[in-house]
Every structure is written in C-alpha cells, then in structure tokens.
Amino acid sequence: MGYGKKVWVFPDAELPPEGVNAIPGHESIIITNTGDREAHIKITLFYTDKEPVTGICITVGARRVRCLRTNEEKDFGVHRADFGEQYGIMLESDEPVVAQYGRADPRAVAFYTTPGYCCNGN
C-alpha cells in the first residue's frame, strides 16, 4: 500500500507571465506514487468565469514521480494553462498519491511549492 490520498485540490493556480529580464513563468504539479500499482489520475481545472475543464487523464507509474507542466501539451493536452489566468486544480486518483504544486514567478523573482488540500477520508 502506498502513502498519500486519492483527492488533492490546489485552489491557487496561475501560470505567471514573463517577468524580469524576459524570464518566463513556470508552474507544475508534482505527483509521487509510492505504491505498488500505477495510479490513474483525472484532472479537473476550475475557473472564475467559465465552466470547468474535465477529461484530462494521466498515469503515474508504481513507485514513480511525475512532474506535469501546466502549459505543456505533453502533460495537459489541449487544456494548457494561459499565462496570468487564475484557476484551481483537482486531482482524483484511483490509488493513494502525494501531490504538490510549484510555481516560479519571475515578476517577484520567487519560487515556491505548496502541498494541496486532501481529505482524511480519501
């Protein structure tokens, strides 16, 4: 059995626009699967002014980590994040995983990561 939870929510996501010295913003979700079975994860994106985006599905192999860049088609398909757009992210996994959100914001020359919210029952 792996460590983690099956549902993770990151309410504060935003792909930062270009900042100081034309440095691009960076944003990612990092998922670690410590279990013995691959994890199948459904991703939902929530917005302030439009309907949620669903249908993003990814797999994280058993005893593996996966970094998802929110503006890269290979990770999020056609549902890439737009620079400067505020949104939230929900991960729903069939196996327990540990997830965190990371953002490099060149406007403030800052990088930070944060764990998401997860329910004790999941």
Side-chain angles (χ1 to χ4, degrees):
M1 180 171 144
Y3 294 99
K5 301 291 181 185
K6 292 185 176 183
V7 178
W8 291 85
V9 178
F10 302 91
D12 179 24
E14 176 203 7
L15 180 60
E18 187 176 282
V20 177
N21 296 323
I23 299 170
H26 164 89
E27 176 186 56
S28 60
I29 297 291
I30 302 93
I31 304 168
T32 302
N33 177 4
T34 65
D36 293 329
R37 295 186 294 232
E38 67 183 19
H40 303 95
I41 300 168
K42 292 187 294 183
I43 301 171
T44 303
L45 306 177
F46 295 96
Y47 296 91
T48 59
D49 59 353
K50 59 185 174 183
E51 291 300 307
V53 170
T54 60
I56 303 169
C57 299
I58 60 114
T59 300
V60 179
R63 298 177 311 280
R64 299 289 185 265
V65 64
R66 183 158 180 195
C67 179
L68 305 171
R69 295 284 301 265
T70 61
N71 65 327
E72 293 202 5
E73 189 170 346
K74 69 180 179 61
D75 295 329
F76 273 66
V78 298
H79 306 292
R80 292 174 295 206
D82 292 326
F83 286 101
E85 185 171 38
Q86 185 70 41
Y87 66 103
I89 302 168
M90 180 171 67
L91 309 176
E92 298 173 280
S93 178
D94 63 350
E95 296 291 327
V97 295
V98 175
Q100 81 176 25
Y101 170 85
R103 175 165 55 203
D105 191 337
R107 297 170 294 187
V109 191
F111 178 78
Y112 65 90
T113 63
T114 182
Y117 170 80
C118 60
C119 295
N120 287 334
N122 289 321

